[in-house]
Amino acid sequence: MEREGNDCVMPHNSNMTLLNDDVDDDQTTNLRSTFWLDRVGEVILTFNSNGLSWKLVESLGNVATEIKLSDVYAVELTDQGLVHISNIPHATEHLLLGHEKKMYRFTVHGFTRSRSQPSQMILAEYTFGHGNLQTCQMWVNQLSASLNLEVERPKNLLVFVHPRSGKGTGCRTWEAVAPIFSRAKVETKVIVTERAGQAFEVMSSIKNKELNSYDGVVAVGGDGFFNEILNGFLSPRLKAPNPPTPPDFLHLVKDNGDSLVLDEKETVEETSNDSEDQFPLISNLEQSGSRISYSCSEDMDPEFPVPNERFRFGIIPSGSTDAIVICTTGVRDPITSALQIVLGKRVKLDIAQVVRWKTTPTSEVDPYVRYAASFSGYGFYGDVITESEKYRWMGPKRYDYAGTMVFLRHRSYEAEISYLDVESDETNFTSKRNRHGSLLRALRAPHKPERYICRVNCKVCNEKPDLTTTGVSGLTPHLCSEKRWVRSKGRFLSVGAAVISCRNEKAPDGLVADAHLSDGLLHLILIRDCPHASYLWHLTQLSRRGGSPLNFKFVEHHKTPAFTFTSSGTESVWNLDGEIFQAHQLSAQVFRGLVCMFASGPEV
């Protein structure tokens, strides 16, 4: 029997038999006993290496119900109490007054999948009753010992709660899922933040010795709150080279020995609305994987490596959009996120490094490094986040209002973007389609390219990088492979760089439907100035499941490991994972699978 929710209470009966089978070849003990299953009846319960299964003692059929051990997150011995029996033999019905009996009980806590949303996990409890306390205790001990062998499951977590995230439900969200952690015997140190930047300060100042005592960090909040924690973790611990830049960008970026330097002979291809001319390129980069160095900074404990396979991050959604959670778990549900954390799920996530060189056109060069896990956006995206700050009292609805106001203004910005072109059939197809496809053909999209969506056990994300061309651990893919810089210049309504698909409730397929969690590529989306109606059509396609928001003549979509940006105006505001980021000139690159998340990816 499968129960939704956590209100199941189980009964018990003393007339039971216990059978201990021989030890299997895999050294896992098989147990078989007769129990009373709450709200079901008398069942034969069997336990083996795969999990639990049970079937009614007296049944017309031979139908068994089971729960896999991997779907069980806790087991506990409960107090002696009543077990409700809903299906018992007629001959014994008079023996159980009101179909209830007082028994010793133990409860198995697990989950089932939602029928309408496969990615959503629903709490399930199964309470078994028996007349003998030692029998219940033996089953609890055996199940607990088996669960303890699940080494991926965390034992100690640091939890940050944002009390004002989203609709201000951060504390209530944590209170709702906290029992899951306590039942699973996961120790949690909970910090409820009192001001902006507090989580960053704690993560950046915590000693590595203490950080090593945790199996991971959990953020109860939105994408912006997770970004704060992520930056607090990476900023003092990750020593990474500066992003690569085209030759004419280097007069601002002085090589400090870590940055990746291009061959001065390399030329740059320019593209614009007015010209499709291409200049010859020399794909000869003075970049070697041996020059890439990842280590802890000198003033930190060197025993905490980055990347770190053991240490994982979790997010329990309580924000306004929660795009990272939707992309990594498949659903915006605190229960599902909590279960994936306590079950020790694991998926790698790309992280973008964004280096701001100048804040304004007249400012001094002062490099400032930030990291993003989902999206960096300029123009429309920067204007929306700036406008929304005026209406924080509205809660999440402020983004709808701000988006409408910014759309009506229809402002475009002069800028120049250069990106590393990755030589692949898919990228070439996308570039040609964006340059030469007609608006009518794009809107009708009669021959859409096949999209490989990122799912559980994704082949793209699990593909091992070629270490002969990607350097250390494959964190910087394509940087040493054959490529060229391409320049795009003109007036843009928006410039966006998506690390993941960025699916959310308003964009069910995300900004880029076939973006992956860990393929080492950014999706650079350039929206050139266009008529108001055309831009509205593009936004409408974003809001539709199965839409084609990228199939417009004024939209450029490029997969790239790195890009640079320079604004031609005086204003330059970026949206970095939901946070305001002032940057007149910046460079960015992506690190493949830099961090691990407590998640498994969306279900099919």
Side-chain angles (χ1 to χ4, degrees), residues 53 294 418 472 518 556:
S53 64
Y294 296 91
S418 297
V472 178
S518 180
E556 293 184 33

Side-chain angles (χ1 to χ4, degrees), residues 113-155:
R113 295 282 182 184
S114 168
R115 294 180 180 179
S116 59
Q117 172 54 271
S119 292
Q120 184 174 357
M121 297 176 168
I122 300 174
L123 291 175
E125 290 185 359
Y126 310 94
T127 300
F128 299 91
H130 198 283
N132 187 287
L133 176 61
Q134 291 182 344
T135 298
C136 290
Q137 186 67 64
M138 181 189 67
W139 276 78
V140 170
N141 292 343
Q142 181 62 52
L143 286 169
S144 298
S146 297
L147 293 179
N148 288 335
L149 296 177
E150 301 287 327
V151 295
E152 289 289 303
R153 301 190 180 191
K155 300 298 183 184

Side-chain angles (χ1 to χ4, degrees), residues 116 118 125 153 232 236 302 345 393 417 425 474 547 573 578 585:
S116 59
E125 290 185 359
R153 301 190 180 191
K345 300 297 183 179
W393 54 271
I417 300 96
D425 294 338
V573 179
Q585 188 166 38

Side-chain angles (χ1 to χ4, degrees), residues 35-48:
F35 283 89
W36 289 100
L37 175 57
D38 186 38
R39 304 184 186 278
V40 176
E42 191 175 18
V43 298
I44 298 175
L45 181 64
T46 303
F47 171 68
N48 55 38

Side-chain angles (χ1 to χ4, degrees), residues 325-375:
V325 162
I326 294 175
C327 290
T328 54
T329 69
V331 66
R332 188 183 187 185
D333 177 51
I335 296 295
T336 299
S337 294
L339 286 171
Q340 294 212 0
I341 292 171
V342 299
L343 291 172
K345 300 297 183 179
R346 177 189 300 274
V347 69
K348 289 185 177 181
L349 185 67
D350 288 346
I351 299 296
Q353 178 201 50
V354 181
V355 179
R356 178 183 67 196
W357 299 100
K358 299 182 71 174
T359 307
T360 66
T362 58
S363 63
E364 296 293 329
V365 174
D366 186 19
Y368 178 68
V369 180
R370 286 285 299 276
Y371 300 94
S374 61
F375 179 75

